[in-house]
Amino acid sequence: MTDTRRKAAPDGNPPAPGTAARVEDETYADQLLGFTIPSRNVRGRTVRLDRTIDTILSAHDYPPAITHLLAEALVLTALIGGLLKDAGDQMTIQAQTDGGVVRLLACDYKDGDIRGYVDFDDKALALLGANPSLDALFDKAYLAITFDRPESGGRYQGIVPLEGASLSAACEAYFVQSEQVPTLLRVAISSGKDGCLAAGLLLQYLPEGEDGRERLHVRLDHPEWEHVAIMGGSIRHEELLDRDLSMEALVWRLFHEEDEVRVERGSHLARGCRCSVAHYADVIGRFPEVERAEMRDDDGLIRVDCAFCSKVFEIAR
């Protein structure tokens, strides 16, 4: 990864060659871009999912409302997962309800691999119309975000009510309530016959540094955060989705008046379902033989259907 430190040009575009260090290749899609604004104590992530999201969505024939929901969840998964630092760290987003149209939404991130799945009642969904609200889809539900950091921090999970106009709003509430970190999230989605394009921006205010200090309260009214939140909130959907606008140029456009913006290209993103015959054989091998016998079909095989990639794995005796 490249750490580039430079001041943006007055027009909001990247500096001209020779005026500062420059990134050799601009970031357009399917790769995270991280950045910090030191004078404002703010860090951010931005991403645009193109081929990756089409690959994930192709595993199931989702109706438009579910496609939009999962696309938003995958962008949030990439942005929040991109905050992890160590190889092997994993982040999972899960929303579950007993009475809603959507029974389960699950996405996760690990080392640049993302995946996602939605289990829903298609008959109940058809009764909601073309653009159902988040509340209509989930009814009363909870959002759980889990961080597994085996090398540094173990496992941590925060759970908040799934409330607000969008998943993005619910994730903002999670960071305020569970992490005490003021957070802004913006997501844009475009889907049609040519596929799906989804993009997003994450900003966080960290006046006490990124790690190592307990945050006793959240200061949403701090001038530094108010300024950056206004700038970040001004981003337009068409800007996030503009394939000709690089992620670096997008950051410069928003924050070109700052003294310094530091950018760091993050992980390349791909559909990363970690299912395999060996994995499922290992899991099933932990069950008692009596239970494994009940799982076998007439051919003596145990067939496992992976919800994420929609593949069936046959486990022999």
Side-chain angles (χ1 to χ4, degrees):
M1 293 185 287
T2 301
D3 185 7
T4 303
R5 305 183 182 198
R6 55 185 177 175
K7 183 172 180 177
D11 59 2
N13 292 316
T19 61
R22 60 187 176 126
V23 178
E24 294 181 359
D25 299 311
E26 297 286 284
T27 307
Y28 287 90
D30 298 323
Q31 183 177 10
L32 283 160
L33 182 76
F35 61 94
T36 59
I37 307 174
S39 64
R40 302 286 185 180
N41 297 306
V42 165
R43 70 174 174 183
R45 299 291 185 273
T46 185
V47 72
R48 186 180 294 131
L49 299 179
D50 195 346
R51 294 181 181 179
T52 298
I53 201 165
D54 278 337
T55 302
I56 294 172
L57 293 172
S58 68
H60 298 276
D61 186 18
Y62 291 119
I66 301 301
T67 293
H68 189 281
L69 176 70
L70 183 55
E72 181 181 12
L74 289 167
V75 171
L76 294 170
T77 298
L79 291 172
I80 299 172
L83 299 174
L84 297 170
K85 297 180 178 180
D86 298 328
D89 288 353
Q90 181 173 335
M91 191 281 303
T92 302
I93 292 177
Q94 184 170 313
Q96 191 167 0
T97 178
D98 293 329
V101 172
V102 175
R103 292 182 285 254
L104 174 66
L105 165 69
C107 297
D108 67 26
Y109 171 100
K110 184 178 182 180
D111 298 330
D113 287 341
I114 58 174
R115 59 180 182 173
Y117 169 71
V118 182
D119 178 33
F120 64 98
D121 184 332
D122 54 349
K123 293 181 180 179
L125 177 65
L127 300 176
L128 297 181
N131 298 299
S133 66
L134 190 71
D135 183 62
L137 289 172
F138 282 96
D139 194 18
K140 294 180 180 180
Y142 286 88
L143 175 71
I145 298 182
T146 306
F147 294 93
D148 286 298
R149 305 176 64 186
E151 294 296 324
S152 58
R155 187 174 190 270
Y156 171 77
Q157 182 180 73
I159 301 175
V160 296
L162 184 60
E163 298 174 342
S166 64
L167 281 175
S168 301
C171 287
E172 286 180 350
Y174 160 81
F175 279 107
V176 171
Q177 296 175 30
S178 296
E179 302 282 343
Q180 289 79 55
V181 178
T183 299
L184 181 140
L185 286 159
R186 292 292 181 268
V187 175
I189 301 162
S190 174
S191 59
K193 295 181 180 179
D194 296 330
C196 184
L197 183 67
L201 171 74
L202 176 149
L203 295 171
Q204 290 189 322
Y205 181 53
L206 298 162
E208 302 298 337
E210 291 197 15
D211 296 302
R213 295 191 185 181
E214 182 180 4
R215 296 179 180 86
L216 300 180
H217 58 86
V218 178
R219 291 203 58 186
L220 295 173
D221 62 345
H222 196 284
E224 290 177 352
W225 172 242
E226 288 180 346
H227 173 81
V228 173
I230 290 172
M231 294 297 99
S234 71
I235 190 72
R236 303 192 307 273
H237 280 203
E238 53 266 31
E239 290 178 296
L240 283 168
L241 296 171
D242 186 352
R243 284 187 168 94
D244 294 326
L245 183 66
S246 73
M247 298 286 94
E248 287 88 351
L250 187 64
V251 173
W252 309 140
R253 182 176 290 186
L254 287 172
F255 303 114
H256 63 272
E257 294 182 352
E258 301 301 326
D259 292 335
E260 184 181 25
V261 177
R262 303 177 183 180
V263 298
E264 181 179 18
R265 285 177 289 170
S267 299
H268 287 276
L269 300 170
R271 196 277 296 273
C273 197
R274 294 178 289 280
C275 56
S276 67
V277 171
H279 170 71
Y280 287 124
D282 177 65
V283 173
I284 291 172
R286 302 170 192 171
F287 287 83
E289 172 55 31
V290 173
E291 295 184 23
R292 294 202 300 272
E294 294 176 351
M295 299 178 191
R296 296 188 183 103
D297 61 16
D298 294 338
D299 298 323
L301 299 174
I302 298 175
R303 303 180 192 275
V304 181
D305 184 358
C306 177
F308 287 102
C309 64
S310 196
K311 293 180 180 179
V312 177
F313 295 85
E314 297 180 347
I315 313 299
R317 288 180 180 275

